């Protein structure tokens, strides 16, 4: 007689990634550090990030220059701290703009449906036919290199994700009993959307926005690295990567420092977003 012995499954996922509260706490700690650095840092930097001093070109770290200087003799530490305002400020503005555009459209077309929903979704499918990054490069290149045009190009390719998420939730909720009861009770469509639909999308949109911050930072830095975003001598992390590229072999720190700044900021928001998604069980939607 054969005995069917089922071996216990071994969960190989590290404890750190299973504990959503720990993920959220680590993300919040990183977020607080990043926010304080962004707000207070520009007032305590030791040097002017825009002042070039060729006599101190590519100087090693010292008390005057904590991380050394770049190829123009500018303080790398000061440029990193001041550049955080540019990179994170643009990111916050882009995510807020995308949410303000995508959420109302998703609420309206999801609740009303019909031809309006069909038209918007066909437009969204047409935009999604191209990779987001390639489309952002094309738009930014057509409009010209500047931070404003950079923001426009990213907003244009990002609003669709928020619209689709909100629309799918509203379509699921609009036929449920509590919504039908509100209609029978004489509630207007606007009141139903505001009181019953909007609360359902808060947690999924918050998770999406938290996870999207890292992607937007990478997109902004990548486009600036390609010369389509911040222009010299602006201290933006992607632009700093581009400035240090010709000196990668002789002075790799010119690219390592801004690269590490981007890495840790993206990691912080990804940790917080993953923790929030697991805690609120957004995947089950």
């Amino acid at each position: 007689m054969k005995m069917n012995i089922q071996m216990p499954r071994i969960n190989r996922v590290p404890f750190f990634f299973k504990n959503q509260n720990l993920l959220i706490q680590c993300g919040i700690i990183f977020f607080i550090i990043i926010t304080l650095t962004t707000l207070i840092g520009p007032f305590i930097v030791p040097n002017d990030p825009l002042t070039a001093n060729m006599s101190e070109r590519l100087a090693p770290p010292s008390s005057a220059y904590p991380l050394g200087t770049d190829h123009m003799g500018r303080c790398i530490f000061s440029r990193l701290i001041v550049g955080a305002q540019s990179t994170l400020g643009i990111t916050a503005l882009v995510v807020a703009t995308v949410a303000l555009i995508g959420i109302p459209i998703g609420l309206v077309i999801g609740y009303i449906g019909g031809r309006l929903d069909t038209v918007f979704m066909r437009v969204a499918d047409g935009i999604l036919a191209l990779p987001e990054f390639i489309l952002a490069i094309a738009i930014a290149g057509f409009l010209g290199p500047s931070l404003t045009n950079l923001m426009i190009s990213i907003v244009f390719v990002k609003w669709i994700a928020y619209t689709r998420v909100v629309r799918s939730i509203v379509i699921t909720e609009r036929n449920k009993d509590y919504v039908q009861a509100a209609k029978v009770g004489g509630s207007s469509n606007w009141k139903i959307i505001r009181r019953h639909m909007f609360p359902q999308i808060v947690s999924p949109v918050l998770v999406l926005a938290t996870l999207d911050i890292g992607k937007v930072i990478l997109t902004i830095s990548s486009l600036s690295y390609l010369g389509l975003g911040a222009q010299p001598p602006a201290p933006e992390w992607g632009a700093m990567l581009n400035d240090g590229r010709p000196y990668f072999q002789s002075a790799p720190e010119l690219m390592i420092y801004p690269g590490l700044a981007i890495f840790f900021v993206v990691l912080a928001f990804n940790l917080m977003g993953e923790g929030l998604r697991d805690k609120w069980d957004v995947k089950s939607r």
Side-chain angles (χ1 to χ4, degrees):
M1 180 181 296
K2 294 183 179 180
M3 298 182 63
N4 187 9
I5 301 177
Q6 187 175 6
M7 298 297 293
R9 295 182 61 185
I10 300 176
N11 194 343
R12 298 184 181 276
V13 179
F15 169 77
F16 179 82
F17 294 100
K18 292 191 298 180
N19 192 333
Q20 55 265 46
N21 290 327
L22 183 58
L23 289 175
I24 297 172
Q25 291 169 8
C26 291
I28 291 175
I29 292 173
F30 275 124
F31 176 75
I32 293 173
I33 294 173
I34 293 166
T35 303
L36 291 177
T37 302
T38 303
L39 296 177
I40 302 175
F43 298 100
I44 60 174
V45 291
N47 300 282
D48 186 351
L50 301 179
T51 301
N53 185 2
M54 297 305 292
S55 62
E56 298 288 346
R57 181 175 178 269
L58 298 177
S62 62
S63 57
Y65 304 105
L67 297 179
T69 61
D70 62 6
H71 60 291
M72 298 292 291
R74 299 170 296 195
C75 178
I76 297 176
F77 177 77
S78 300
R79 288 178 64 79
L80 280 176
I81 299 300
V82 175
Q85 281 192 333
S86 178
T87 302
L88 299 180
I90 295 172
T91 300
L93 190 57
V94 166
V95 173
T97 304
V98 166
L100 289 175
I101 295 174
I103 291 175
I105 294 176
L107 284 170
V108 172
I109 66 175
Y111 185 78
I112 296 177
R115 292 184 178 179
L116 183 65
D117 180 42
T118 302
V119 170
F120 269 98
M121 285 301 99
R122 296 299 75 78
V123 172
D125 292 340
I127 296 175
L128 290 175
L130 294 174
E132 286 186 355
F133 185 66
I134 301 299
L135 186 57
I137 290 177
I139 297 173
F142 176 78
L143 296 176
S146 71
L147 288 177
T148 302
N149 295 337
L150 173 69
M151 292 172 54
I152 293 173
S153 64
I154 298 176
V155 169
F156 183 82
V157 301
K158 282 289 184 182
W159 68 272
I160 302 171
Y162 291 77
T163 298
R164 291 172 69 92
V165 168
V166 173
R167 170 183 172 271
S168 63
I169 296 173
V170 172
I171 290 176
T172 302
E173 298 291 327
R174 70 184 181 186
N175 293 322
K176 290 188 176 179
D177 293 340
Y178 72 94
V179 176
Q180 299 302 320
K183 289 181 180 180
V184 173
S187 297
S188 63
N189 290 336
W190 165 244
K191 187 175 182 181
I192 293 174
I193 291 175
R194 179 172 55 87
R195 297 189 62 179
H196 299 290
M197 298 291 103
F198 185 76
Q200 300 296 328
I201 69 169
V202 172
S203 58
V205 169
L206 183 59
V207 171
L208 177 61
T210 306
L211 291 172
D212 223 20
I213 289 176
K215 298 177 183 178
V216 172
I217 290 175
L218 291 176
T219 303
I220 292 173
S221 301
S222 300
L223 292 178
S224 295
Y225 176 78
L226 296 174
L228 297 174
Q231 299 301 302
E236 196 274 330
W237 291 345
M240 292 176 66
L241 283 172
N242 188 29
D243 290 341
R245 179 170 47 85
Y247 305 91
F248 180 69
Q249 292 184 342
S250 59
E253 65 274 9
L254 298 186
M255 296 188 71
I256 291 175
Y257 291 137
L260 288 176
I262 295 171
F263 170 78
F264 282 115
V265 171
V266 173
L267 175 64
F269 285 104
N270 282 350
L271 287 177
M272 192 158 49
E274 290 289 343
L276 290 174
R277 184 171 64 180
D278 293 340
K279 189 176 184 64
W280 288 335
D281 197 24
V282 175
K283 292 180 181 179
S284 65
R285 293 178 180 270

